[in-house]
Amino acid sequence: MKKIAFFDTKPYDKVWFDKLNKNYEIEYFDSKLNRKTAMLANGFDAAVAFVNDDIDAGAIDRLTENNVNVLAMRCSGYNNVDIKHALGKLTVLHVPYYSPYAVAEHAMAMLLTLNRRLHKAYNRTRDFNFSLNGLTGTDLHGKTVGVIGTGKIGQVFIGICRGFGMNVIAYDPYPAADTDYKYVSLDELFSSSDFISLHCPLTEQSHHIIDRASIGKMKQGVFIVNTSRGGLIDSEALLGGLNDGVIKGAALDVYEEESDLFFEDYSNEVVLDEVLSLLVSRPNVLITSHQAFLTDEALEKIAEITLKNLDDYFAGKPLDNEVVYHPKDSAAVK
Ligand code: NAI
């Protein structure tokens, strides 16, 4: 039986992998995969990793020195893998599609919560504080939502927004054909949107797509939702926009410095990230810790596709979900 070294394991990961796995001996490691921990994979045939593992050149070299020649990412994003360095050494597989509904629904849940101050109301009423002061929201109906990235998740999110009677505009360098919403330039999206939701991958082009300059072009009172990747937003610029009131609220499922924090419990420790501490302390910022994917359906699909990717690899079959670096592509950034 082939052996899998499974990194950065959480209890919810095991549920579906244990249920669906028939062909492998899986050893679950708590540690994240990085250049220091890669040697744990010695004696294994494959490594399985997740969004905040750091699979840089050093980690790839350690894996391949230990004869681990395949890495199965149990997620869609692979911006944390040096795919250029992996070329010709390590086969990298990912799960391009599991549940766009999980992420799009979470984005809307965050938008609604932030806009209608449900996070504040929940805490108040638990304390028998039934005051409504400060809880005023805005109707979504008739408002403009700007969607950046209209792939699988962006399109589901657009459908949800349409259900709320919102006017949808979008930006994507590769626009979809025959849409019932309008593609606009990024500048027009920034200046026209009441809500902006990010659904593009993190690349050199999209890194800090929300920065001081783009915030300067936005409507006063805009809400920003990011369920994509933290590096899409310059967090200090975001704080600036919140301070001067241009940004009325920010819903963040991802954060650019999340890798050592998210998915872990630091409630008994002092977190020294000052930008995150300032964001967390704001009543108009809602943070979840990379939770958007977390539904039963998504976890089942992730396990099913990750195991199938490995089955195909070991059977020498064509690999539908291989990630290969092409020199013409921009390298993904962290
Ligand atoms: P997808 O590949 O179907 O769609 C991405 C879209 O973004 C494509 O249409 C592409 O043309 C567009 N795009 C690429 N560069 C762009 C740019 N610079 N500006 C605007 N658009 C650009 O990907 P999918 O499945 O919709 O996922 C989107 C992102 O969601 C992923 O890259 C990942 O970062 C994030 N994600 C977050 C999860 C979470 O739990 N928070 C879970 C799964 C994905």
Side-chain angles (χ1 to χ4, degrees):
M1 219 178 214
K2 300 278 186 206
K3 291 175 72 183
I4 296 177
F6 194 105
F7 286 87
D8 197 13
T9 312
K10 297 288 179 285
Y12 47 80
D13 289 316
K14 287 187 193 172
V15 174
W16 283 103
F17 274 89
D18 281 347
K19 208 176 263 185
L20 300 180
N21 172 39
K22 292 188 177 58
N23 301 332
Y24 303 98
E25 190 181 322
I26 302 181
E27 183 149 346
Y28 293 104
F29 295 108
D30 290 342
S31 325
K32 288 191 171 51
L33 175 57
N34 56 42
R35 55 175 61 201
K36 287 191 194 135
T37 59
M39 80 261 284
L40 288 170
N42 187 8
F44 287 81
D45 300 287
V48 169
F50 196 47
V51 293
N52 285 329
D53 295 307
D54 185 8
I55 305 119
D56 63 2
I60 290 169
D61 289 343
R62 288 309 87 70
L63 287 174
T64 51
E65 281 158 21
N66 285 301
N67 299 317
V68 177
N69 297 314
V70 59
L71 169 71
M73 299 299 294
R74 56 181 194 279
C75 51
S76 68
Y78 46 85
N79 53 288
N80 53 334
V81 184
D82 186 341
I83 51 168
K84 186 175 180 184
H85 192 78
L87 192 65
K89 294 181 183 159
L90 180 74
T91 300
V92 180
L93 307 166
H94 77 142
V95 183
Y97 176 97
Y98 46 91
S99 172
Y101 310 103
V103 182
E105 288 170 13
H106 191 79
M108 182 48 88
M110 294 191 86
L111 190 159
L112 287 169
T113 303
L114 188 66
N115 173 38
R116 302 304 299 268
R117 316 286 198 274
L118 300 184
H119 54 309
K120 303 282 293 171
Y122 174 77
N123 285 325
R124 277 192 196 180
T125 53
R126 283 168 66 85
D127 204 22
F128 297 94
N129 173 356
F130 301 114
S131 157
L132 295 183
N133 296 336
L135 300 186
T136 310
T138 183
D139 283 8
L140 296 189
H141 185 90
K143 295 292 184 322
T144 297
V145 58
V147 177
I148 299 182
T150 57
K152 294 176 285 296
I153 296 170
Q155 300 230 13
V156 174
F157 183 74
I158 287 170
I160 295 171
C161 291
R162 285 221 170 281
F164 279 87
M166 300 183 86
N167 168 42
V168 179
I169 56 175
Y171 169 77
D172 193 307
Y174 304 98
D178 300 328
T179 59
D180 58 356
Y181 51 86
K182 192 174 143 204
Y183 282 99
V184 296
S185 67
L186 257 188
D187 280 358
E188 190 179 340
L189 185 144
F190 290 139
S191 62
S192 310
S193 301
D194 302 297
F195 297 86
I196 294 174
S197 195
L198 297 168
H199 298 290
C200 60
L202 177 61
T203 63
E204 271 175 7
Q205 287 75 30
S206 65
H207 182 245
H208 285 185
I209 200 165
I210 305 291
D211 62 4
R212 207 171 293 277
S214 53
I215 291 169
K217 295 172 191 161
M218 290 177 192
K219 256 187 176 180
Q220 186 79 16
V222 65
F223 285 82
I224 295 178
V225 181
N226 186 9
T227 54
S228 235
R229 283 295 179 269
L232 297 173
I233 297 184
D234 175 343
S235 310
E236 295 202 21
L238 180 74
L239 269 176
L242 287 159
N243 285 342
D244 60 26
V246 174
I247 301 172
K248 196 167 179 186
L252 310 173
D253 185 51
V254 285
Y255 170 62
E256 55 182 336
E257 302 301 332
E258 73 178 48
S259 60
D260 290 332
L261 295 168
F262 281 19
F263 307 122
E264 308 299 335
D265 178 3
Y266 290 101
S267 56
N268 286 318
E269 293 176 42
V270 176
V271 169
L272 295 174
D273 184 324
E274 287 183 8
V275 173
L276 182 63
S277 303
L278 285 169
L279 287 170
V280 165
S281 69
R282 290 185 159 271
N284 56 347
V285 174
L286 179 65
I287 296 181
T288 52
S289 66
H290 212 131
Q291 182 188 334
F293 74 100
L294 197 63
T295 65
D296 286 328
E297 292 79 1
L299 290 171
E300 179 180 4
K301 221 40 192 169
I302 287 170
E304 182 190 314
I305 297 173
T306 304
L307 292 167
K308 160 106 175 41
N309 284 343
L310 289 170
D311 290 348
D312 289 347
Y313 173 84
F314 288 117
K317 289 188 182 164
L319 300 173
D320 296 337
N321 298 328
E322 184 176 8
V323 177
V324 183
Y325 175 79
H326 295 288
K328 68 176 170 51
D329 293 346
S330 58
V333 294
K334 290 224 170 76

